[in-house]
Amino acid sequence: MTDPILKATGITRIYPGGTVANDGVNLTVRPGEVHAVVGENGAGKSTLMKVLFGLEKPDAGSLTVNGQKVDFTGPKDAIEAGIGMVFQHFSLVPSFSVYENVVLGSEPAKGISFDRAKAIATVRELSQKFRLTVDPLPAVRRLPVGQQQRVEILKALYRDAQILILDEPTAVLAPQEVEELFTAIRALTAQGRTVIFIAHKLPEVLEISDRITVMRGGKTVGEVETKDVDESSLAAMMVGREVSLRVDRAATTGERALEVKNLRLVAGNGVTLADDLTLNVHHGEILGLVGVEGNGQAELLEAIAGLRPVAGGSLTLQGTPLDELTVLERRDRGLASIPEDRIAQGLATGASVAENLAATRLDDPRFVRRGILNLKGIRDNAVALIDRFSIRVGGPDVDVGTLSGGNMQKVVVARELSEQPQILLVNQPTRGVDLGATQFIWKSITDARDGGAAVLLSSADLQELLALSDRLVVFYRGRIVAAFVNHAELTSETLGAYMLGIETQTPEAMAGAMR
Amino acid sequence: MTDLLEVVFSATFLITVIRASTPLLFATLGGLISDLGGALNVALEGMMLIAALTAVVVSVYAPWYVGVVAGMGAGAALGAIMALFHLRYKADVILVGFAVNILAAGGTVFALSLATGGDKGTSINLQSKAIPSIDIPAFEGIPVLNFFTGHSALSWLAALSVAGIWYFLYRTPRGMWLRGVGEYPAAPEAAGIGVNAVRAWSLVASGALAGLGGAQLAMFNYIGFTRDMTAGRGFIALGAVLLGARHPVGAMLAALLFGLFEALSIVMPGIFSWIPGELVQTIPFVVTLLALILFSYRTQRAERTLS
């Protein structure tokens, strides 16, 4: 057994508000391993990583790197100690070239000038050595997300990081890109670097890591060898109880609810966002919209919700054309929508939970009588929904903005599903939401389906799409390029190949899945 | 019409254009530096005004170059004050900028009356000095070469500043930091660069450049201080930053364009007496407006072709 390269003992961090984010956390990382840290949102993973990178000072506990006790006052100290971090949100200057971004902050210089040639050569060398293929010359804003992530990793390696912390690195990647990242991670460890991998998607953790530290409620609940655990035992450790993320398929499919015919969507600046979209959604089924973000799925949902003008083709809801209807009229016909961004689109974060839960139904006599708000009715409604959707909140008068991501999302779900919808539009329902809340939200969506809703679901998480959808259509560059009836053998790799335009489906195969 | 062409293609007119452009160019470069650093300096106008008065008053008692340095120092000090309020006390940079402008408008009149012993309009009874022009007798009367003589020393400095600032921004590490801080502060921050320090220095430099513009205005374009003598040049400069595509060479071209129209508004009433002088004087402002509309149209079209 080798000595640990990094050891955190009894790390405790209490935020000014009194929140105990880390409570005696231990982490032992051996050199050359991939060490995963898993846990639900709010388990304290991020706080621990911030402590390791010098962004937060622990209130108690100690940190040793290579057996030396260290005391970081800022990220600079951590970088000097050989720790590099790749955040979920990249810190890259969009208009700068790859090499400029890599060397920014410690540029090679010739006299007073920036030594470009040397910077480019260094970046080339690093990218070859660690199998992080990326051209040093183009501006990073022109690169796909996967490559931008490599630039971030190169930044850390340029500063000679021996220990690399990756914060949920796969959250933004398509399946093929995840494979490439894993190849790079293996190349890194093969050359003696150590990787700390933060994640909550368990299959990936099981694939890439050597050992796993599990956190729950600010504490370490265990450290295990990856080969000794499987997905369900790991999930149980994380949540503290048995979790089943299995969802039952629709039993029967009803009548056609929504028809989309040759739909064309154009952005304000004239660019075509989607073209020739044709699909049907039936009562009692979930149709999954698959695609890398920005390929037209979100735009289709917006068009159906009435938030985006239609440039051609038609939308028909139960026989009536939707085009002429306002958002409110569509909602009156039973359209409900769980939007992608709960903070910007789903909620008024400065308003209370009760106000948010009533906000879309101000013509309901329970909430408004003769133009005056019925505060008691609004409050009673909130109390009932908080209970029914088990939203963890102090009370109906609490501001929505103070809730955790999962609970905010539950407020949106509660509002949209408090009455049985005819059509339900769902975009990224569990982004940034922990396992327990995910389970609940999935259940709510399938309950709505079983109650007769026609559901359109878009998600960046292919596991989610595969778990929930009855049928799936794949978007690529604004067109539908493939359609599937969901079955047990359908994998994210198969979908990924269509998502990236690598494979195409024959019209016959597609028609077979287009009811 | 031929009269106008004759005037426009004379060496004297070119010198007028350069003279009118110089204060604008300094202010534009100042605006460019702070804008690239991500702290839009709307106080250029006020900084120029205060610097102009400072330069005039100091030059009464000291050589002209001390007056110029004092004007530059006054601008830099105002930049430092803006940095303090914006970066340390987290005030909105636009509001801080307008505070400086309001302070300048009233403060200069007050200070002027103290300095002159009661005159609230001009510094006419102060013996302030002028920036010398650099005359090259050998070039006099020779076509083309005579364009290079008779300019203010500060005009040459302004031209050098364009080259210097270009080199700084695109060829030195610190220039890269500045551009990075303005575009996406999270990136330099993660790389251990002090984002606030970079912004503070950009405001100080911005103020110093605006200060040079103010000194040129009150010690060359006009000799002496008049209330509100900047007459919107600080705001035109902000437009020129955008019109010049946020690039130092573009900034120079934009400043020259505005200088050209200012020069026209000086010579045209003499030739076309039926055009009211006031109308000609509005030309730079109309041009600013048109230029900005054109500029935003171009950006929109560029964005369209990009996506």
Side-chain angles (χ1 to χ4, degrees):
Chain A
M1 181 139 182
T2 45
D3 288 333
I5 186 168
L6 181 108
K7 194 169 160 69
T9 321
I11 299 291
T12 298
R13 173 79 182 113
I14 302 164
Y15 283 112
T19 313
V20 183
N22 275 186
D23 183 4
V25 173
N26 298 317
L27 178 71
T28 309
V29 183
R30 295 184 205 142
E33 73 172 352
V34 178
H35 192 110
V37 177
V38 300
E40 296 208 85
N41 288 334
K45 290 172 298 186
S46 306
T47 305
L48 177 62
M49 294 310 124
K50 283 181 185 162
V51 168
L52 296 184
F53 195 55
L55 286 165
E56 296 266 3
K57 241 183 125 46
D59 298 304
S62 68
L63 211 60
T64 60
V65 177
N66 283 321
Q68 301 279 314
K69 195 173 176 315
V70 289
D71 196 10
F72 297 150
T73 53
K76 259 199 157 145
D77 296 344
I79 292 169
E80 253 163 54
I83 298 175
M85 178 133 178
V86 176
F87 291 95
Q88 229 174 328
H89 297 281
F90 302 147
S91 22
L92 299 170
V93 183
S95 77
F96 280 20
S97 65
V98 168
Y99 73 89
E100 283 173 325
N101 266 295
V102 171
V103 302
L104 184 68
S106 31
E107 302 85 355
K110 217 193 295 173
I112 59 156
S113 303
F114 171 42
D115 191 345
R116 265 159 215 283
K118 191 169 172 203
I120 295 170
T122 315
V123 172
R124 281 229 164 87
E125 195 183 302
L126 277 174
S127 113
Q128 269 161 17
K129 186 173 167 198
F130 293 103
R131 296 182 61 190
L132 287 156
T133 327
V134 57
D135 180 1
L137 297 178
V140 293
R141 66 152 176 254
R142 299 192 182 280
L143 298 181
V145 180
Q147 297 220 8
Q148 294 190 9
Q149 189 174 54
R150 285 181 214 165
V151 179
E152 279 284 4
I153 298 175
L154 284 172
K155 260 170 81 174
L157 294 171
Y158 175 76
R159 287 160 179 79
D160 205 25
Q162 296 299 315
I163 306 166
L164 205 62
I165 306 172
L166 306 177
D167 187 10
E168 307 222 358
T170 58
V172 292
L173 302 179
Q176 270 75 0
E177 291 177 317
V178 171
E179 270 318 307
E180 288 171 33
L181 172 68
F182 284 0
T183 310
I185 290 179
R186 290 189 189 105
L188 283 167
T189 50
Q191 301 191 44
R193 308 284 165 122
T194 307
V195 175
I196 301 178
F197 185 93
I198 320 292
H200 64 222
K201 288 187 194 166
L202 298 181
E204 287 167 359
V205 169
L206 290 168
E207 185 186 341
I208 191 68
S209 67
D210 301 311
R211 285 190 315 137
I212 303 169
T213 293
V214 183
M215 293 184 71
R216 188 195 333 137
K219 294 194 168 86
T220 4
V221 291
E223 193 196 280
V224 291
E225 298 275 334
T226 306
K227 59 181 192 316
D228 299 338
V229 288
D230 62 10
E231 200 174 332
S232 60
S233 62
L234 207 52
M237 274 176 93
M238 266 167 73
V239 183
R241 60 184 157 84
E242 291 294 327
V243 219
S244 157
L245 281 176
R246 193 150 300 153
V247 172
D248 296 325
R249 281 285 106 70
T252 51
T253 308
E255 309 226 319
R256 226 173 245 192
L258 179 82
E259 281 178 54
V260 179
K261 218 176 242 163
N262 304 326
L263 190 73
R264 180 177 150 83
L265 300 170
V266 174
N269 58 13
V271 174
T272 303
L273 297 167
D275 203 357
D276 204 18
L277 300 180
T278 299
L279 53 87
N280 300 311
V281 199
H282 304 74
H283 287 294
E285 76 163 347
I286 298 177
L287 178 68
L289 310 179
V290 187
V292 177
E293 267 177 75
N295 278 278
Q297 317 91 294
E299 288 75 11
L300 170 63
L301 292 180
E302 284 169 14
I304 299 171
L307 304 172
R308 177 178 283 288
V310 168
S314 66
L315 288 168
T316 320
L317 176 62
Q318 292 162 337
T320 39
L322 271 183
D323 316 42
E324 299 295 311
L325 301 184
T326 64
V327 178
L328 221 53
E329 286 164 345
R330 293 179 204 216
R331 292 190 78 98
D332 284 345
R333 278 161 207 258
L335 184 137
S337 169
I338 299 172
E340 177 177 6
D341 185 341
R342 53 184 164 261
I343 290 169
Q345 299 162 310
L347 296 166
T349 46
S352 71
V353 172
E355 287 166 335
N356 271 286
L357 285 171
T360 54
R361 286 198 303 278
L362 293 177
D363 51 355
D364 187 327
R366 280 186 297 157
F367 304 141
V368 180
R369 241 174 296 171
R370 285 179 227 95
I372 310 282
L373 290 176
N374 177 3
L375 296 181
K376 184 167 181 311
I378 291 173
R379 206 164 186 283
D380 290 348
N381 170 64
V383 172
L385 288 178
I386 286 170
D387 181 52
R388 185 173 140 205
F389 288 85
S390 41
I391 302 166
R392 256 175 281 166
V393 58
D397 304 321
V398 173
D399 277 1
V400 159
T402 61
L403 269 56
S404 75
N407 279 302
M408 271 197 222
Q409 188 71 343
K410 279 189 188 174
V411 174
V412 178
V413 171
R415 186 186 63 214
E416 298 299 316
L417 299 183
S418 60
E419 277 167 30
Q420 173 63 39
Q422 295 296 310
I423 297 269
L424 175 61
L425 310 177
V426 188
N427 197 356
Q428 318 295 350
T430 59
R431 175 177 282 174
V433 167
D434 64 35
L435 213 53
T438 297
Q439 190 187 17
F440 191 89
I441 290 168
W442 283 11
K443 182 83 174 58
S444 304
I445 294 171
T446 51
D447 284 351
R449 174 200 66 191
D450 294 340
V455 184
L456 280 121
L457 168 71
S458 168
S459 174
D461 182 353
L462 289 177
Q463 297 307 329
E464 178 166 73
L465 284 165
L466 286 167
L468 289 173
S469 308
D470 301 301
R471 289 189 301 133
L472 300 121
V473 289
V474 184
F475 283 67
Y476 179 65
R477 299 204 169 155
R479 284 170 185 274
I480 294 174
V481 294
F484 301 93
V485 174
N486 199 1
H487 56 88
E489 279 82 49
L490 193 59
T491 62
S492 51
E493 282 72 26
T494 313
L495 292 176
Y498 291 99
M499 282 164 71
L500 296 173
I502 298 166
E503 282 196 50
T504 46
Q505 207 175 28
T506 61
E508 295 77 40
M510 204 155 108
M514 288 292 213
R515 275 193 285 232
Chain B
M1 199 65 199
T2 43
D3 292 350
L4 181 67
L5 289 179
E6 239 169 64
V7 170
V8 164
F9 286 102
S10 69
T12 7
F13 183 73
L14 185 95
I15 286 168
T16 315
V17 170
I18 299 289
R19 189 177 68 192
S21 302
T22 303
L24 259 178
L25 178 53
F26 277 122
T28 306
L29 290 173
L32 175 76
I33 293 251
S34 66
D35 189 31
L36 285 179
L40 186 67
N41 184 2
V42 293
L44 292 169
E45 177 82 2
M47 288 173 160
M48 280 174 93
L49 201 59
I50 289 176
L53 180 65
T54 309
V56 163
V57 172
V58 169
S59 78
V60 174
Y61 308 101
W64 68 271
Y65 47 86
V66 178
V68 169
V69 170
M72 190 169 97
L78 286 168
I81 291 171
M82 277 185 79
L84 177 75
F85 281 98
H86 172 46
L87 301 170
R88 172 74 58 82
Y89 300 121
K90 306 287 170 211
D92 185 89
V93 72
I94 306 286
L95 293 183
V96 175
F98 272 100
V100 170
N101 286 336
I102 293 163
L103 176 80
T108 49
V109 174
F110 176 66
L112 180 68
S113 81
L114 286 185
T116 57
D119 192 335
K120 289 180 181 163
T122 66
S123 67
I124 202 150
N125 55 11
L126 290 180
Q127 291 297 309
S128 66
K129 296 187 185 67
I131 296 164
S133 62
I134 296 182
D135 297 314
I136 307 166
F139 289 177
E140 303 274 352
I142 303 168
V144 180
L145 284 182
N146 64 3
F147 288 167
F148 292 95
T149 177
H151 300 301
S152 154
L154 284 198
S155 294
W156 290 102
L157 180 66
L160 281 177
S161 303
V162 171
I165 287 170
W166 174 83
Y167 191 86
F168 168 75
L169 286 175
Y170 297 99
R171 289 292 178 270
T172 69
R174 296 297 151 120
M176 220 166 99
W177 292 17
L178 179 72
R179 289 184 295 126
V181 163
E183 187 177 339
Y184 194 76
E189 192 162 18
I193 294 168
V195 168
N196 275 355
V198 172
R199 285 216 170 119
W201 282 114
S202 83
L203 280 169
V204 169
S206 175
L209 284 161
L212 282 171
Q216 160 81 7
L217 196 63
M219 292 178 66
F220 191 89
N221 291 30
Y222 307 94
I223 311 300
F225 182 85
T226 318
R227 64 184 294 176
D228 296 330
M229 73 183 302
T230 44
R233 285 180 177 83
F235 295 112
I236 293 181
L238 284 180
V241 171
L242 293 180
L243 185 65
R246 302 173 89 213
H247 189 280
V249 175
M252 182 174 76
L253 295 177
L256 280 172
L257 181 76
F258 289 122
L260 173 74
F261 280 98
E262 196 184 317
L264 277 180
S265 78
I266 296 167
V267 298
M268 272 170 75
I271 304 165
F272 306 106
S273 52
W274 48 271
I275 301 179
E278 289 82 0
L279 193 67
V280 179
Q281 275 160 14
T282 62
I283 292 177
F285 299 94
V286 175
V287 170
T288 314
L289 214 60
L290 291 178
L292 288 180
I293 291 169
L294 188 78
F295 175 80
S296 84
Y297 172 74
R298 261 188 36 205
T299 341
Q300 272 180 12
R301 215 180 43 183
E303 271 167 16
R304 218 170 286 175
T305 46
L306 204 80
S307 59

